[in-house]
Amino acid sequence: MKRRTFLTAAGAAFVGLQIPIRNALADDKVIRFAMPQDFTRVYTFVTVEYSQGQRDYISLVNAKGGINGYQIVADISDHGNDLPRALEAYERAKAQGAILVDPLSTPVARALVQRAAADKINLITAYSGRSDAADGETFPYVFPLSPNYWTQAGLLIDYFRQQDGDLKGKKICFVHIDTPFGKEPIPILEALAAKQGFSLQTFPYTPPGNDQSAIWPQVRRAKPDWVVFWGAAVGQTVALTEAIRNGIPMNRVASSVWLSESDMDVVGRAQATGVLKVEPCASGQSPKIIQDIIKTVIEPAKGAGDRAKVGTAYYNYGVMMAALMIEGVRKAFEKAPNGPISGDWLNAGLNAISNFDAEGLIPPTTVTNTDHQGGGQCRIARWDGSKFVPATDWFSANQDVVWGEIKKSSAEYKASGK
Amino acid sequence: MDASLLLELAVNGAFIGMMYALVSAGIVLIYKTSGIANLAQGALAMTGAYMAWIGGTLIGLPIWVAAPLAAAVMFGIGALIERFAMRRMIGQPLIMAIMLTMGMEIMLRGLMPGILGASVKKIDIGIPNAPIILGDILINRTLLIGGLISFAMIVASILFFNSRLGVVMRAVSDDQTASWSVGIRVERAIAIAWGLSAVMATTAGVLWGATQGIDWSLSLLLIKALAIAILGGLDSIPGVLIAGIIVGLVESLATGIIDPIIGGGSRDLVASAIILITLLIRPHGLLGREHIERV
Amino acid sequence: MSLLTLNNIEVVYDSVFLAVKGISIEVPEGGLVALLGANGAGKSSVLKAISGLLRSERGAVSRGQATFRHENLLALDPPERVRRGLVHVLEGRRVFEHLSPAENLLAATTMHRDRTRVTRRLDEMLTLFPRLAERANAKAGYLSGGEQQMLAIARALMTEPKLILLDEPSLGLAPFLVDEIFDVIRRINAEQGVAVLLVEQNAVAALDLVQSAYLIEQGRVVMSGSAEALRANPDIQEAYLAGHNQVDYHAVKHYRRRKRWLA
Amino acid sequence: MFYRRAGIRHTSYRSERRLWRLPFDRGLVVAVLIVLLILPLVVDRLYLVGYLLPWVIWSTAALGLNFLMGGAGQVHLGYGAIIAIGAYASAHAARFGVPFEIAMVAGGLASAVVGSAFGATALRVKGLYLAMATLAMQSIVDFVIIHVPAISGGGQATLRVPPARFLGIDLTEDVRSYYFVLLVGIVVTLFVLNVGRSSFGRALAAVREKDYAAAVIGVDSFRFKLLAFWVSSFIGGIVGALLAFCYYRAISPDQFHLDLSIQLVAMVIVGGLGSILGSFFGAALILFAPILLNQAVGALAVSSGLGISADLRAHLPLLLYGAMIMGFLLIEPLGLAKIYDNIRNYLLVWPFRHAPR
């Protein structure tokens, strides 16, 4: 028909795009990671800081000469949480020879699970994706490398038990965003409620959660002993604000890993004092690794972003994930120093991470062929008005219940794909 | 079911409905003059909130200076949008002009967070979080004040449409070509509508931004606002006020009554059902004017 | 002395379709002039070129000059042209349907700052069109076709024009209403000294009303002259005043052919 | 110039009624088809999976929606939900053991049934009000999918799609699924092209222009509106099946959210309302502009060495994308297809400036 103009444009784009791919493959002594992430839609609240941490850590490694003389190249792009874009980015990463993809988005991670397995590319799904991906036997190429939401819920309940001695007869309210992500911890909470004898009440709010004024009066009237709120971005700040307005004591309110300093700014730093969160890695600038980054990367002005963000919770999550990925590379070189560098090769390395604590930034983490979660250790931190202070040491809890759920769900997955 | 809980939900729901209605009123204002449903209204609210943040936090002005200043700037921006974009769409198919506003929505969503940073910004409008407690009932102070400000602005715009300038604006909405033919400066009328609408958006953006923080997600206010505008009848500002209160009330009560039964967030579902049923009974919304059909 | 002069005006739609191919027209001060022609001849395009309303239909004047009281018309935007004293009553009436007749009239007074003058003018119109006064508070969209046409004319007169462009005021109206409308036009012209440029398909009625007329075919003026001269022209009689004489279809065909050739 | 015709002149009704009336246009169609057939064999998999495959699928979806919006004048903001119904119905049917050929049709039928129920509101509601009614239905369908685990596929809300075979050909491989998708796309395109020339198409056009007037001259506008919803939803359901089996291979509710509906409406409008060609252009622009702009801005940021902030770097493509939509509409408010048409018209009469009307 009449598609000449389109064809010319497509032809030009085609020629233009074909060249860089081939060039990239020609480079040697380079290990490629692809970080197509959501900078502009649902995950904006975390991505900028997370990505900044990742890039700064990779700069640190490269500044020290890389790993075995190999430089790490991270391709950052924006997929806007839109699947066709994410699939394009994934295919591009694959064509360019990336051996690891970190999409930081639950829908994207879910859509990539099967492709990654078929293409043997390691898919990092930290704090996103399928919780049952912790089962390395069913999902050999998917690595959460971080405590999944089931573990986080289990840790919170165990912390409550530690505080109150016994949860029998207590009431816990679970306020969550009404999406698959928000509903995820419910089976664990229900299992624990049955086991430990507390009563559980759930309150779903509709996404994005900018209006929860009808939820919290009900929570207040339920007179709970503990409140867990589960959401992300806007939903978190609104939940916390409403909790304050309804006079719920802050030191009985807790959330997952999705709570940051900037959320506290929005709610009001002083007013939020006491609120609890799950902390998968140390926050602040004091950990040695962050100090190294400041010295080697930030001070020579090679940082990837705003200096003020260095050491925030989400920045450190980024550093944590980059450190784990690179530890995987290191282990891969230990196992097969001559490569060839491939998804398979890195997979073996990631599975060999053992007792790695990133110089004190993260709990000792061991990844095995069966456990891609890395042990499920975290600590609970409390907001003191200016920063998150650890309230416990690294610990893991209720992993039996969590793994029961993981096995159940991954078995379902296995059964569904013939 | 606890009666005092229902009362509490109803009161707070009505106020929050008025805050939604303020965003909708901006949509109606533009629809009434140019027949275009402005899909960038949420993005304008976001932009206005960012403007207030620039004034309040970056420059350091007190909020009662920064917010009106932001509104004034936004009036100008609204007028500029008419000058450089909407003006060229006069006489073109409406759906294309609506699409243009959607392009604008995408653009604004890229512009403000791109320049100012994507992380959530705080804006403090000085309303204390401490609630007002009447017996067993807790009234959310932010919602109360926000709802009252919204109510005042909506009433002001109702009065505006009955003035002489208002008659001209209504004439423009009826038939732009005919308005031109009798010497009405159609562009100017539409520019005023855009400017006023941007002012309303700014107010709404600041009020909502104070609760949820300022980031791109303020532009999501559009969906609910559009639903309320259509429920009220796209060209009726009183309709918007009534629809806003109805939606706010029903959503709030549904959360209290239906959620525990079906175990899910029924708010949007109930709102959708109300909209569907209303439209089937009254195809032009609650107070919308009927399309006069002559062959 | 001429009030409005069009010189070789060319109108293009969509930057491609040439609708008006070089038309020159004159309207004298206080004159009554008609543009005649069949459907799609380009009459309405000429009026819109004069009032500046082409843009909203993706059209543009691509060539030629237009002067109104010695002023270049093409440089002005439509509201500015109305302020110079030129008003266009659109085809199909186009009243503001959701406004009352009174509000319709009020909406057309943006150029007058003086409120008392506006009220006086309003009263004048309601006396000139008593039917409108009766239904002053109904929605204009529910008025009858004739009432709407009168409202459209009254609304145009609110701007206090020197020249009024009327596009098919008789369209879709009953014969007695057509007479009434034409009577009003005659009175406006005579009593208020407003010049009228009338577009009509109803050539019989139009030629009775006007002083001179232009015949437009396929975007060109093919004939012009005083009303008597045109009425006397045999081609016009055959093509437009059919019914007065015996129709000779061979001649009609011949005329059509010649017309093509002219184009 | 290319067309070697000044204006279109026909000497017989047969030639006037042809789908493409000019030899040049016919040549172009064949050329494009050949390119589309050969391309997957010569380009990298990236271009096949990243561009060609989604482009054909989304174009087909845009055609289905354009049939309703452009053809019958009914605005639809819930087409994403229609596609979701097709995807879920076909996926569940296939998981139940139904062969893919039937599962796909079942998906289409399921969508058509629910879609016509959506359409029933069109009896009373018009324009933006209809848009809102369909939007309300979108959120109802979303809610049902998310809250019924039996539909969404358990706690993780992801449903794996079993491998599909069409007439014995395995569709799990990308090149084959591309050809299959292309085949469906061509069938839908030909169908929509031909409807325009049938009495059904003319009735729809009458309903679109003014349903009230159409009813007066004896076109049962309700029946035709409903039929338009039925056909368009059926196409949507088929597209849902294609998405599930040939592209995503695992479906979850967030793939079919309001965002998808809005994207599709944008494709139809930016491409050109009622234009078949426009559906293809619109799909290409809305799908690829964000990707290409991102790469362009990324390359520019690297090569220029300017230290633009990560935020700006991430949001600049979004800004440009919005500006691009605005720009195209300001240049030509009738959409991309109209821009093409203007060029074609210009070349048709070249070397003359204007065509007689």
Side-chain angles (χ1 to χ4, degrees), chain B residues 122-269:
Chain B
K122 177 196 172 60
I123 187 160
D124 189 356
I125 54 172
I127 303 174
N129 272 329
I132 300 167
I133 296 179
L134 299 171
D136 197 21
I137 292 169
L138 176 148
I139 292 168
N140 195 320
R141 202 183 288 252
T142 320
L143 295 187
L144 175 73
I145 296 173
L148 289 180
I149 292 175
S150 306
F151 183 77
M153 289 201 73
I154 293 171
V155 169
S157 54
I158 292 173
L159 295 177
F160 170 75
F161 268 104
N162 285 321
S163 70
R164 186 171 166 202
L165 183 56
V167 169
V168 171
M169 310 257 282
R170 273 153 58 205
V172 170
S173 83
D174 251 11
D175 192 331
Q176 293 181 356
T177 311
S179 303
W180 253 334
S181 78
V182 292
I184 295 173
R185 293 189 195 279
V186 173
E187 294 93 338
R188 189 184 290 173
I190 297 177
I192 292 173
W194 273 87
L196 290 178
S197 170
V199 169
M200 289 180 138
T202 307
T203 318
V206 170
L207 289 176
W208 279 102
T211 340
Q212 66 177 73
I214 300 167
D215 72 346
W216 75 276
S217 63
L218 276 176
S219 68
L220 294 176
L221 286 173
L222 171 74
I223 303 291
K224 181 128 297 165
L226 202 60
I228 289 174
I230 284 177
L231 181 63
L234 261 173
D235 44 20
S236 163
I237 291 184
V240 153
L241 189 59
I242 295 170
I245 293 175
I246 290 179
V247 169
L249 265 177
V250 169
E251 283 192 353
S252 196
L253 291 175
T255 312
I257 301 168
I258 302 176
D259 275 13
I261 301 170
I262 62 166
S266 60
R267 217 185 62 165
D268 280 8
L269 191 70

Side-chain angles (χ1 to χ4, degrees), chain D residues 313-337:
Chain D
R313 154 77 187 76
H315 285 83
L316 204 55
L318 193 65
L319 192 153
L320 292 174
Y321 173 51
M324 212 161 121
I325 292 179
M326 289 180 74
F328 275 121
L329 287 176
L330 286 175
I331 293 168
E332 179 46 70
L334 294 186
L336 298 175

